[in-house]
Amino acid sequence: EIVLTQSPGTLSLSPGERATLSCRASQSFRTSYLAWYQHKPGQAPRLLIYGASSRATGIPDRFSGSASGTDFTLTISRLEPEDCAVYYCQQSGRSPTTFGQGTKVEIK
Amino acid sequence: QVQLQQWGAGLLKPSETLSLTCAVYGGSLSHFYWTWIRQPPGKGLEWIGEISHSGSTSYNPSLKSRVTISVDTSREHLSLNVSSVTAADTAVYYCARQTTVTTPHTSYILDLWGQGTTVAVSS
């Protein structure tokens, strides 16, 4: 199965700062099958980015995604307090679907 | 507005069978794949498996021998059964709809989620 390794484990930044989250895949797959989800405690995960770089409906433009080979990046350009959450990358290009272990974003 | 509503037993003993149901309200099972995902305490998300509206299934190899996912199109329900549970099956379980997006390229997205059901396995 494809292993997705996310880094860093935790990111602690101030409001207005830029957050860069990384997701590295153990094998190549079509980048259109890479998605990012935001998960807050007590809530269901929310789709942010699909196809590596397309924003889901209703997602603010401060969220963006990019891909380079087996490396994927989620960028939050200007952190807001409500962005405090765990972020997961997910691939559905090869079965079984797998998730990264998550990056926790903390707001100082 | 389409919503997913989950329910099922929240406390099980080791060796029992976990059974959860997810109902689709305001929509239909048709034309989508439906997935089950879980999150053990303090850990990340784990894909359990998926089913099409016609009943075609795919399971995570790590759970395949114990998992059954089924659909009841007449009631717009999908179900998850996990047999012979242990403490390692303690988790929050989610059902989710998988939608196929075709622009700009083909992508699969989990765009609708249930509220989650907490299942604990303890003797």
Side-chain angles (χ1 to χ4, degrees):
Chain A
E1 71 178 40
I2 294 179
V3 176
L4 299 177
T5 302
Q6 292 188 240
S7 60
T10 302
L11 204 49
S12 185
L13 296 167
S14 299
E17 289 192 301
R18 182 186 191 90
T20 303
L21 287 67
S22 174
C23 172
R24 173 166 290 178
S26 62
Q27 304 172 40
S28 63
F29 60 94
R30 186 167 290 186
T31 59
S32 67
Y33 295 111
L34 190 284
W36 289 92
Y37 294 84
Q38 178 191 65
H39 194 194
K40 296 181 178 180
Q43 299 182 20
R46 178 173 75 146
L47 175 68
L48 295 176
I49 300 287
Y50 65 94
S53 60
S54 297
R55 267 187 305 276
T57 302
I59 301 303
D61 61 6
R62 66 178 184 275
F63 291 92
S64 63
S66 64
S68 177
T70 56
D71 291 330
F72 302 88
T73 302
L74 173 69
T75 302
I76 310 172
S77 60
R78 299 171 306 280
L79 273 173
E80 307 241 350
E82 62 263 31
D83 298 335
C84 180
V86 179
Y87 293 81
Y88 294 95
C89 56
Q90 175 231 10
Q91 70 80 24
S92 52
R94 297 192 188 194
S95 187
T97 289
T98 51
F99 291 89
Q101 81 278 21
T103 290
K104 183 176 184 179
V105 173
E106 297 178 339
I107 310 296
K108 291 180 181 176
Chain B
Q1 185 174 352
V2 184
Q3 294 183 350
L4 302 182
Q5 184 72 32
Q6 307 174 215
W7 66 86
L11 181 61
L12 297 171
K13 291 182 168 50
S15 80
E16 291 184 334
T17 295
L18 179 159
S19 293
L20 298 177
T21 301
C22 175
V24 181
Y25 293 110
S28 173
L29 288 171
S30 298
H31 310 300
F32 296 99
Y33 273 74
W34 301 88
T35 69
W36 287 96
I37 288 160
R38 71 182 183 179
Q39 183 180 33
K43 296 187 178 181
L45 301 171
E46 180 181 31
W47 182 81
I48 299 170
E50 67 183 21
I51 189 167
S52 70
H53 69 278
S54 61
S56 175
T57 56
S58 178
Y59 298 124
N60 191 322
S62 68
L63 297 166
K64 186 174 183 177
S65 63
R66 299 191 294 124
V67 169
T68 303
I69 298 175
S70 58
V71 290
D72 182 342
T73 53
S74 66
R75 294 196 293 174
E76 302 291 359
H77 287 179
L78 66 152
S79 298
L80 170 70
N81 284 337
V82 181
S83 64
S84 305
V85 297
T86 69
D89 295 308
T90 294
V92 178
Y93 287 75
Y94 296 97
C95 59
R97 183 180 72 182
Q98 179 176 288
T99 296
T100 300
V101 177
T102 56
T103 56
H105 305 288
T106 300
S107 301
Y108 302 137
I109 62 173
L110 301 174
D111 62 342
L112 183 66
W113 294 69
Q115 81 277 18
T117 302
T118 299
V119 176
V121 180
S122 175
S123 55

